[in-house]
Amino acid sequence: MTSASDIFLAGASRGVGREIATYLTAQSLKVKALLRTEASAAELEAMGIQVVLGDALNVDDVERAILTEPIHAVISTLGGLPTDAQRPDYFGNKNLIDAALKAGAKKFILVSSIGTGNSAVAVPPQVLQTLGPVLAEKDKAEQYLIASGLTYTIIRPGGLKSDPATGNGILSEDPRIIGTINRADVAQLVCRCLNSDRANNKVLSAVDRNMLFGQSELPEFSLD
């Protein structure tokens, strides 16, 4: 496993990001997390995570968090809430990508969403209509990362559930794939991608093989 520090995590306060934090610390990896508020700081610090308070939308905050010590990899699950005045999906991730480049990070893993980019074909039109503005911001972040020169992995989960991991989470390069997946399984896939050269510079959809919508066969991407 990666051991160099090493992992900088944005989005650790909730959802997939929190599951990733739990998984990484269980692997005894050194993790630094950027938090916008102190609400979950004590809980993350109790897990052994170094917490830095700051806003991903603020360039100075991001550079202060990332550039102060060596970083091996950056993982971002940044995504705004519907109530946010300004969502971090593009601008927050852009700041992280720029700082990761300055820091010489070896890999950047971006958690995006099925429905973004060429995977729009997998999503019903009414969903695209509802989520269109959000998906457009996520697409801009994906394209910025791809063009950045960083080694990247982009993971697009399907519909997210909060149940315990099933161990059936899989990745696919087929943009037509759609289904649901538990957040804990996404976290495991993200962490496996950290140490998989096969995942380098790939855009992958993530679903649970037992929670597919409609497909009878799934072209699975192997990380080994």
Side-chain angles (χ1 to χ4, degrees):
M1 289 292 290
T2 296
S3 58
S5 101
D6 339 289
I7 310 299
F8 187 87
L9 177 60
S13 62
R14 58 186 173 87
V16 172
R18 173 58 68 87
E19 295 288 349
I20 292 171
T22 300
Y23 195 81
L24 289 173
T25 53
Q27 307 297 312
S28 300
L29 294 178
K30 184 180 174 186
V31 181
K32 181 190 285 189
L34 178 69
L35 295 182
R36 190 168 53 178
T37 70
E38 293 186 1
S40 54
E43 193 174 338
L44 290 171
E45 287 172 343
M47 295 163 59
I49 292 174
Q50 180 185 353
V51 170
V52 180
L53 292 177
D55 190 337
L57 292 170
N58 183 304
V59 173
D60 291 338
D61 285 358
V62 172
E63 292 194 344
R64 174 174 51 83
I66 289 183
L67 300 180
T68 52
E69 58 189 320
I71 292 294
H72 176 83
V74 176
I75 301 173
S76 175
T77 67
L78 283 185
L81 297 169
T83 53
D84 289 345
Q86 187 176 11
R87 298 178 58 96
D89 298 79
Y90 171 59
F91 287 107
N93 280 312
K94 178 183 182 297
N95 291 339
L96 289 169
I97 292 162
D98 289 342
L101 271 170
K102 288 185 179 181
K106 302 300 184 187
K107 185 177 282 194
F108 194 111
I109 299 180
L110 175 64
V111 179
S112 184
S113 174
I114 285 180
T116 304
N118 65 349
S119 67
V121 297
V123 178
Q126 61 270 29
V127 175
L128 284 179
Q129 187 172 5
T130 302
L131 297 179
V134 174
L135 296 173
E137 293 296 296
K138 291 184 181 297
D139 183 54
K140 286 168 64 177
E142 289 187 7
Q143 295 306 316
Y144 193 81
L145 176 57
I146 290 168
S148 70
L150 285 165
T151 297
Y152 66 86
T153 305
I154 294 169
I155 297 179
R156 297 168 171 169
L160 293 167
K161 300 170 68 177
S162 295
D163 296 325
T166 66
N168 293 317
I170 52 139
L171 298 169
S172 178
E173 289 187 274
D174 188 337
R176 300 168 298 172
I177 293 301
I178 190 166
T180 58
I181 185 169
N182 294 345
R183 289 177 173 85
D185 286 300
V186 177
Q188 290 187 14
L189 292 171
V190 167
C191 296
R192 287 181 61 203
C193 285
L194 272 174
N195 298 289
S196 171
D197 288 341
R198 292 203 77 239
N200 289 352
N201 304 325
K202 295 290 187 181
V203 180
L204 302 164
S205 294
V207 293
D208 189 297
R209 63 166 55 91
N210 296 325
M211 302 182 198
L212 291 170
F213 296 162
Q215 296 96 344
S216 57
E217 292 187 18
L218 176 61
E220 185 173 341
F221 181 83
S222 174
L223 293 171
D224 303 319

